[in-house]
């Protein structure tokens, strides 16, 4: 499967940690987890999403610094 888009904006009210296994979906170009209730830190595994162009995480309950692994996202244009 070549999943390119995950869009779980607002209505879902997802909570807990951002799943680390999302880092295994390397075909992802668009990951929108905006306006849910995710908590904790952004997992460093997100840095493995080499095709990611858009990453939206705002309006959650995330804490801590962004992982340095996000610097590997060379195609990222929208954060």
């Amino acid at each position: 499967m070549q999943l390119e888009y995950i869009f779980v904006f607002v209505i879902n009210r997802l909570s807990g940690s951002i799943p680390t296994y999302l880092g295994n979906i390397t075909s992802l170009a668009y990951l929108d987890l905006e306006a849910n209730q995710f908590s904790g830190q952004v997992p460093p595994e997100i840095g493995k999403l080499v095709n990611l162009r858009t990453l939206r995480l705002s309006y959650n309950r995330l804490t801590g610094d962004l992982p340095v692994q996000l610097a590997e996202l060379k195609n990222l244009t929208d954060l």
Side-chain angles (χ1 to χ4, degrees):
M1 177 172 48
Q2 295 294 328
L3 187 62
E4 291 186 28
Y5 297 91
I6 293 180
F7 181 80
V8 289
F9 178 73
V10 182
I11 300 170
N12 300 287
R13 297 184 189 210
L14 299 173
S15 62
S17 299
I18 295 174
T20 58
Y21 60 78
L22 289 176
N24 296 329
I25 310 172
T26 57
S27 58
L28 273 182
Y30 187 93
L31 178 58
D32 188 341
L33 305 177
E34 190 173 17
N36 281 283
Q37 296 176 10
F38 286 110
S39 58
Q41 296 185 325
V42 176
E45 290 83 359
I46 298 298
K48 296 191 293 185
L49 300 175
V50 295
N51 293 306
L52 202 62
R53 293 188 305 266
T54 299
L55 175 60
R56 295 193 176 159
L57 302 172
S58 59
Y59 301 106
N60 280 286
R61 297 177 180 176
L62 299 171
T63 58
D65 296 328
L66 291 174
V68 296
Q69 290 84 348
L70 294 187
E72 299 299 317
L73 301 176
K74 305 297 183 196
N75 294 312
L76 192 66
T77 58
D78 185 16
L79 175 61

